[in-house]
Amino acid sequence: MRIPLRHSLLFAAALLCAPIAFAQMGAASASGAQVAIDAPWVRATVPRQPATGAFMRLTAARDLRLVGARSPAAEHVEVHEMAMQGQMMRMRQVASLDLPKGRAVALAPGGYHLMLIGLQRPLRAGEKVALTLLFEDADGKRSEQQVHAEVRPLATPAS
Ligand SMILES: [Cu+2]
């Protein structure tokens, strides 16, 4: 059996993140939010770098899809995935990301992520970036949730 690389990476990332997410899950669900957003972070940038990635774990209380996001730090935000194209690992935009009820979905380096494009200025480690995530349910009804993601150093490993 051949398991796509992307899936094994996501699986590994999910395992690594599990203890942190579990600890933070209580607070998120207590707020009544539709989606628990755990350990959100954004990779720091160097001057004139046009784009960077945002990562987190999403656990929806009911079947939803992540269909977009926006941030005051960027001109626009896209949902991306990393995938093998021939021998190359490349990222590409996806229209949406399924969030099945109760299942933690990892946005992590090497897998799905939010791409902040057209950065207004460099993002420095330690500051916070506001992100508004846009979700859609099976009936096409949309909802938003805001999160503040901590900027982490450029060299932050995939976890
Ligand atoms: Cu990307």
Side-chain angles (χ1 to χ4, degrees):
M1 193 178 84
R2 200 172 140 267
I3 299 170
L5 177 63
R6 174 163 65 80
H7 290 145
S8 35
L9 281 173
L10 280 179
F11 183 66
L15 284 179
L16 286 168
C17 293
I20 301 166
F22 187 74
Q24 294 182 351
M25 190 99 53
S29 24
S31 72
Q34 298 194 74
V35 180
I37 303 171
D38 299 303
W41 65 280
V42 172
R43 198 185 292 281
T45 64
V46 295
R48 287 180 299 282
Q49 184 180 333
T52 191
F55 312 96
M56 63 203 72
R57 267 164 60 97
L58 301 175
T59 309
R62 61 198 183 92
D63 288 344
L64 290 172
R65 293 182 304 137
L66 174 66
V67 294
R70 61 176 188 273
S71 170
E75 277 168 33
H76 61 281
V77 181
E78 296 178 352
V79 182
H80 278 194
E81 69 170 348
M82 298 290 294
M84 291 301 286
Q85 276 183 5
Q87 304 290 345
M88 294 280 288
M89 197 74 170
R90 288 232 166 88
M91 63 183 177
R92 65 175 178 218
Q93 186 178 10
V94 292
S96 66
L97 172 59
D98 282 342
L99 304 174
K101 177 184 175 178
R103 175 139 61 90
V105 175
L107 279 67
Y112 290 106
H113 56 278
L114 292 174
M115 202 79 199
L116 280 65
I117 298 166
L119 297 175
Q120 311 294 334
R121 57 181 180 77
L123 301 178
R124 294 193 172 79
E127 66 177 305
K128 296 267 188 176
V129 171
L131 284 163
T132 303
L133 307 191
L134 186 59
F135 303 106
E136 192 175 286
D137 69 11
D139 300 324
K141 188 162 177 269
R142 293 194 164 193
S143 56
E144 291 183 355
Q145 251 176 261
Q146 229 201 23
V147 67
H148 289 88
E150 188 189 341
V151 178
R152 293 190 190 165
L154 261 177
T156 302
S159 68

